[in-house]
Amino acid sequence: MEFVDVSRYGAVPNDPSKAAVNDAAFASALADGRTVYVGPGTWWVSFEIYLPDFVHFKGSGMGKTIIKMVNGSAQSLNVVTNQYNDRLVRANYNRDIRISDMTIDRNAETSVEGSGGMAAGGSGGCCVALSMVKDCVIERVYTRGGVWNNVDIATARYVAVDTTTYAEGPSINVVVRDCVAVDPWMDDAFTCHFSRLVKFINCRAEISDGQYCYWNTNGFEIDEGSIDCSATDCYAYRFSKGFQAKGHSNTPGDVRTVFTRCVAEGCGISFAVESTNLTGRDLRIVDCSSLSPTFYGIHTTAEGPRSSTPGTGHWTEARGLEVKNRDGVTVERFIIDGGDSASGNNIVLQDGKNYTLDDCRISNVPVNRTASMDSSRGFIQLWGDTSENFTVRNVLCRTALTYRLVRVAVNNPGKPILIQDIKAVGNSATESCVNLWSSGIARVDRISQSGYASNCNVADSYDTGWVSIVASSGYSNQSGYDLQARRIGDIVHLRGLLTKTGGFAASTQYTGVATIPTWAAPAPAMGVFFSGAANTASYGATFIVKGTDIVVRTGNGTVPPWVGISCTYMAR
């Protein structure tokens, strides 16, 4: 039948004693109808509601139709899930499922402990769990009190092996829109695992006022192995982490995640992006805001929302943005506003490569470092021994900080860092607006500030000094004329003499005689200089700087025993 009403199958609202009756009635209705309607009232159930293919499971509106798990249920049970979700690897997808216009209450606070959730190998303990599905929609659904997650879009079976192993059966093309998730117990409000093309649109995640969340509880999470997933126009309130994209140490990271026009308010970390072994790649945060982050209200050990006042919290400082161990992160038009004096508020970019923070507006943040921040820290902190290709530009800070705005503490020689177009007011007679402690190559320019002791604690155009280059095997530096490179701002200088064991032969190309640092690679395709008696093919040798390789090509005439390297060019 096209349309059925669960009440016609014997379902009874507003009576917890009828949960078993409702279980059977829901199953029968879903076996018969394409659109299964659940009217107003609270419909108690004691087991999972399984949705088959091509079904629309529809209520009369959020707060009007309430489906609620009975008291004392096993924690592993979902309220609503798809028909084939047996927590095992399987061959068959469910598809074209639609859930709309209802409230789903997992009633986690009364559930009974036992193996379940992720420990059971699949999506468990959720208000809504869709596992290995395609082309599904969840819209206008209010969820409350998931044991693990409120809404979870996942693979057939969760696996955690290593950073290269993906779970089988990813969910594909699932839209979650205009939904609300409140008070998840142990994990996340909205999440996806090992899935693709999952979209959270205009959704809201909240920890209720007067409650305090578990330290691992996130508003929106794009988790391990998920690809091309996004959150757009979403809001997270008072979570441990408002928006998170990650992989664990034993799972691959997410790829091509996008957060657009999202707001995190009162969270410990507003936007947290991390992975292991740089497996998380190519993430974008666009037009997003961090409002008044705080670590207060986060329990260190207690699971689930609690009314009791927590201790010090999981972190000793709150953060608007934290990025760790990623390859490719772009943050554009990011707003940070507010923060309490105990928690602080700051940005950390750490141990990864190809990070860009472009167009950041900072206001109403605490003017002093928090007690947990050491005296070297900056509001925007770049650090790590494996960091490379970091760019921070177009930053405007309206708060008169008593400490440095930007601190570069990257111990990775030869890896370029750009700090550019910074505008700030400060309140320190000793601190610089930008502070460099770095063996990487940092270029700092166009700093406009007042109230600080200086723009930067080093020259604005960073000078590497002369750095020795080791010749490749079979080649060596001519005594007293070592091959060296030096970068001053965007200009690179090379100098030195190279010899070859056995000498150079005429009319021969020698590839890779030396490798220069990445910070010395030329902006054009190559830089060229000719050595020898004249600039002709019959004399001497030509050297070419191509990328980070030096290539030597000899002419067909007399070749000197050495090749002179001397040129100046623009860096990339």
Side-chain angles (χ1 to χ4, degrees):
M1 288 182 285
E2 191 66 28
F3 181 93
V4 299
D5 188 325
V6 294
S7 62
R8 296 186 179 181
Y9 290 78
V12 179
N14 306 319
D15 188 348
S17 69
K18 299 297 184 182
V21 172
N22 291 343
D23 292 342
F26 276 83
S28 296
L30 287 163
D32 286 349
R34 293 287 296 273
T35 298
V36 176
Y37 175 71
V38 186
T42 299
W43 305 79
W44 294 83
V45 295
S46 61
F47 200 68
E48 295 180 333
I49 299 172
Y50 292 104
L51 306 183
D53 295 348
F54 305 106
V55 73
H56 181 187
F57 190 53
K58 177 178 173 58
S60 60
M62 291 190 293
K64 296 179 179 179
T65 296
I66 302 170
I67 300 176
K68 188 170 184 177
M69 186 64 70
V70 294
N71 295 347
S73 64
Q75 286 190 344
S76 60
L77 291 176
N78 302 300
V79 181
V80 177
T81 189
N82 53 297
Q83 185 177 24
Y84 297 150
N85 182 15
D86 55 6
R87 280 91 159 165
L88 300 175
V89 175
R90 58 184 185 271
N92 296 328
Y93 271 86
N94 279 120
R95 63 184 63 239
D96 292 284
I97 294 170
R98 185 179 176 191
I99 307 168
S100 73
D101 304 295
M102 61 179 62
T103 291
I104 301 174
D105 188 344
R106 179 57 188 80
N107 195 13
E109 61 270 26
T110 71
S111 61
V112 178
E113 293 222 22
S115 63
M118 292 308 201
S123 300
C126 302
C127 302
V128 180
L130 296 184
S131 162
M132 195 175 170
V133 299
K134 291 182 178 180
D135 305 324
C136 297
V137 176
I138 304 170
E139 58 186 347
R140 298 182 300 279
V141 174
Y142 183 105
T143 60
R144 180 201 165 274
V147 177
W148 281 88
N149 308 295
N150 279 23
V151 177
D152 186 8
I153 313 301
T155 182
R157 181 178 174 84
Y158 182 89
V159 299
V161 178
D162 56 44
T163 58
T164 61
T165 299
Y166 285 77
E168 297 181 51
S171 288
I172 301 173
N173 192 29
V174 178
V175 176
V176 182
R177 63 186 172 219
D178 302 323
C179 293
V180 180
V182 175
D183 296 341
W185 196 251
M186 287 186 279
D187 216 338
D188 308 317
F190 296 95
T191 186
C192 59
H193 300 84
F194 290 107
S195 294
R196 301 174 186 172
L197 294 169
V198 176
K199 302 177 182 68
F200 300 106
I201 303 171
N202 195 34
C203 293
R204 182 181 180 95
E206 299 179 4
I207 297 294
S208 297
D209 287 332
Q211 302 288 313
Y212 301 94
C213 75
Y214 183 39
W215 70 266
N216 194 44
T217 303
N218 307 306
F220 295 83
E221 179 187 66
I222 310 297
D223 214 341
E224 48 264 319
S226 292
I227 300 174
D228 293 320
C229 298
S230 61
T232 304
D233 296 316
C234 293
Y235 175 81
Y237 179 62
R238 298 185 70 243
F239 283 87
S240 169
K241 298 173 184 175
F243 294 82
Q244 183 180 57
K246 78 173 196 308
H248 293 287
S249 60
N250 55 358
T251 64
D254 60 289
V255 177
R256 293 189 297 275
T257 296
V258 182
F259 296 132
T260 306
R261 295 187 302 277
C262 292
V263 177
E265 182 175 3
C267 299
I269 300 177
S270 297
F271 292 83
V273 183
E274 56 192 306
S275 67
T276 301
N277 297 334
L278 305 182
T279 57
R281 305 193 308 275
D282 302 327
L283 175 138
R284 296 181 66 216
I285 299 174
V286 183
D287 294 314
C288 292
S289 300
S290 165
L291 305 181
S292 301
T294 177
F295 66 73
Y296 184 76
I298 300 170
H299 276 282
T300 55
T301 55
E303 295 178 345
R306 297 286 192 267
S307 57
S308 59
T309 302
T312 57
H314 184 57
W315 299 279
T316 54
E317 61 187 64
R319 292 174 181 172
L321 172 66
E322 180 179 83
V323 181
K324 294 181 179 179
N325 298 307
R326 303 281 301 198
D327 182 359
V329 174
T330 300
V331 182
E332 301 174 283
R333 297 181 297 280
F334 189 67
I335 293 174
I336 291 186
D337 191 289
D340 64 77
S341 59
S343 302
N345 186 354
N346 59 87
I347 293 174
V348 173
L349 307 177
Q350 180 177 353
D351 285 327
K353 60 182 181 179
N354 305 316
Y355 295 175
T356 297
L357 174 63
D358 189 355
D359 194 355
C360 179
R361 299 294 180 262
I362 303 163
S363 58
N364 301 313
V365 298
V367 298
N368 299 314
R369 291 186 179 96
T370 65
S372 65
M373 295 172 67
D374 66 67
S375 60
S376 69
R377 289 282 296 278
F379 184 91
I380 300 174
Q381 181 80 9
L382 284 63
W383 61 11
D385 294 337
T386 59
S387 303
E388 60 178 282
N389 295 329
F390 284 11
T391 297
V392 175
R393 62 187 173 213
N394 298 320
V395 175
L396 172 62
C397 182
R398 296 185 175 94
T399 300
L401 300 176
T402 61
Y403 63 105
R404 55 198 59 157
L405 175 61
V406 180
R407 163 75 163 170
V408 180
V410 174
N411 187 27
N412 195 8
K415 306 303 181 183
I417 295 167
L418 173 63
I419 311 296
Q420 188 176 68
D421 293 315
I422 309 296
K423 296 181 180 180
V425 292
N427 185 18
S428 175
T430 58
E431 296 272 20
S432 58
C433 180
V434 178
N435 179 275
L436 301 183
W437 180 92
S438 179
S439 57
I441 304 306
R443 174 186 167 186
V444 179
D445 61 10
R446 297 200 292 271
I447 307 299
S448 176
Q449 60 82 22
S450 62
Y452 281 108
S454 63
N455 287 353
C456 185
N457 64 315
V458 298
D460 286 355
S461 292
Y462 195 79
D463 186 346
T464 66
W466 287 105
V467 178
S468 295
I469 298 173
V470 178
S472 301
S473 178
Y475 304 89
S476 61
N477 289 315
Q478 180 74 11
S479 178
Y481 299 94
D482 288 354
L483 184 58
Q484 296 177 318
R486 181 176 185 176
R487 178 169 170 172
I488 304 174
D490 289 333
I491 305 301
V492 175
H493 306 271
L494 291 182
R495 70 183 184 187
L497 297 177
L498 279 177
T499 62
K500 182 181 183 300
T501 304
F504 290 96
S507 303
T508 303
Q509 179 167 303
Y510 300 91
T511 302
V513 300
T515 300
I516 62 176
T518 55
W519 51 260
M526 59 185 68
V528 180
F529 180 82
F530 296 88
S531 68
N535 181 6
T536 68
S538 61
Y539 292 94
T542 302
F543 82 84
I544 304 170
V545 181
K546 188 173 184 180
T548 58
D549 289 331
I550 296 179
V551 178
V552 171
R553 181 177 299 160
T554 58
N556 59 14
T558 302
V559 180
W562 45 262
V563 173
I565 308 291
S566 179
C567 66
T568 298
Y569 54 83
M570 291 287 292
R572 66 169 57 157

